[in-house]
Amino acid sequence: MTPQPENKDTPQGLAFAVSAYLMWGFLPLYMKALAHMPAAEVVAHRVIWSVPVAGVLLIILRRTRDLRAALTSPKVLMMGAVTAALISVNWGIYVWSIATGHALDAALGYYINPLFSVMLGAVLLGERLSPAQLVAIGLAALAVLVLALDAGRLPWAAIGLTLSWGFYAFFKKSLPVGPNQGFMLEVLILTPPALVYLAYLTATGGAHFGGDFSDTALLLGCGVVTAVPLITYANGAKLLRLSTIGILQYIAPTMIFLAAVFVFGEEFGRARMIAFPMIWLALVIYSASLLRQMRRA
């Protein structure tokens, strides 16, 4: 039985986690360069080119035996198929959001996610919510309502990112393999449909890979920009306290927010001027509550 890591912060864990969140924070700049391609095509290449990156890492770490065991277990394959489906949906919404000028919605989705995860734990696992957590969730819900009333519709991209990543993290915790093996399992499961889709694009003349050199290079790089942050984060999370991870996770959506406003020039209208501070206040209340709980524990 693998010993559980101590519940304390380590310099290595902090370096891994901060590096991962910074890479995710800069990812919109990379995805914006792919904005002229269909989101599904970009996601397919993210899947396919993640396989060699993750595979080389498993070989270096000598963890291929665990992956082979997972591939021969129907139960693990079924659980892996669920998390693979959720992460592919998350990637698709994210790529579409950046490409179509909805990066602010992407930032909103990832800001809301920790509050949604707390609510998910209460609904599905019976975890008790503190008064502060209830206030934080209520503020987030009001912020979404403000945006919905202003636009005449719900911010579906933000909600989709929140739901897909929240449920992905929830089911991922139950996947009985290590984080690196689990990621490799997911992209292997997604590879056959990704290959079929890309074959269809090639046959119909809609593929971007293999044509323009810059497009081909960017698509090849999708494996690195997808696999490296996820694997780096997974290894960092094991070496940090939950409260530290909870605070660090705001780095990426903050960088996405800044890129959306100051680089992509997305409109930060009156509704967003009301909603985003409400979300930030909710996260401050949530983080303070989390820190108090960790100190008592």
Side-chain angles (χ1 to χ4, degrees):
M1 184 175 178
T2 305
Q4 294 295 316
E6 292 185 70
N7 185 33
K8 66 177 184 179
D9 295 331
T10 66
Q12 298 95 328
L14 192 63
F16 275 132
V18 170
S19 297
Y21 283 121
L22 288 174
M23 285 187 277
W24 275 325
F26 283 113
L27 187 59
L29 303 178
Y30 195 94
M31 291 295 122
K32 199 68 170 180
L34 297 164
H36 59 289
M37 304 181 196
E41 183 178 8
V42 176
V43 171
H45 281 282
R46 291 187 75 173
V47 168
I48 290 168
W49 301 116
S50 291
V51 172
V53 177
V56 167
L57 178 67
L58 289 183
I59 292 170
I60 292 172
L61 296 177
R62 298 180 180 179
R63 300 284 175 83
T64 55
R65 181 182 300 176
D66 293 343
L67 178 63
R68 289 197 297 270
L71 289 169
T72 57
S73 168
K75 179 181 177 182
V76 176
L77 281 174
M78 184 71 70
M79 296 172 69
V82 171
T83 57
L86 287 166
I87 196 62
S88 64
V89 169
N90 183 269
W91 288 347
I93 297 172
Y94 178 81
V95 172
W96 177 87
S97 298
I98 302 299
T100 58
H102 292 83
L104 278 172
D105 285 341
L108 178 66
Y110 288 121
Y111 272 133
I112 295 174
N113 183 72
L115 302 176
F116 175 72
S117 294
V118 170
M119 188 179 71
L120 207 58
V123 173
L124 298 182
L125 301 177
E127 296 176 357
R128 293 186 61 184
L129 296 176
S130 69
Q133 288 171 333
L134 286 170
V135 170
I137 292 170
L139 275 171
L142 283 174
V144 172
L145 180 61
V146 167
L147 292 171
L149 291 174
D150 179 72
R153 58 176 177 80
L154 288 170
W156 289 113
I159 292 172
L161 286 170
T162 299
L163 292 175
S164 57
W165 185 262
F167 279 107
Y168 171 75
F170 177 81
F171 287 113
K172 182 83 168 181
K173 289 172 71 72
S174 303
L175 195 62
V177 291
N180 300 324
Q181 300 94 312
F183 175 72
M184 183 63 168
L185 177 65
E186 288 160 0
V187 291
L188 284 175
I189 290 171
L190 292 170
T191 293
L195 287 172
V196 169
Y197 175 69
L198 291 179
Y200 165 77
L201 283 182
T202 302
T204 56
H208 288 82
F209 187 82
D212 181 78
F213 174 78
S214 61
D215 285 351
T216 301
L218 285 168
L219 289 171
L220 280 170
C222 281
V224 174
V225 301
T226 298
V228 172
L230 271 171
I231 293 170
T232 303
Y233 166 79
N235 286 277
K238 296 186 298 183
L239 302 172
L240 292 174
R241 293 177 297 169
L242 177 63
S243 58
T244 304
I245 285 291
I247 293 170
L248 290 177
Q249 66 185 321
Y250 306 139
I251 294 173
T254 299
M255 292 178 68
I256 296 171
F257 171 85
L258 294 173
V261 175
F262 296 108
V263 181
F264 304 151
E266 293 188 16
E267 183 182 356
F268 193 61
R270 183 177 61 182
R272 283 171 169 166
M273 288 181 182
I274 296 171
F276 270 87
M278 290 174 71
I279 293 292
W280 295 330
L281 177 59
L283 293 175
V284 169
I285 293 171
Y286 160 74
S287 298
S289 171
L290 183 63
L291 286 169
R292 283 196 299 270
Q293 288 179 349
M294 293 296 291
R295 287 198 186 102
R296 291 194 198 104

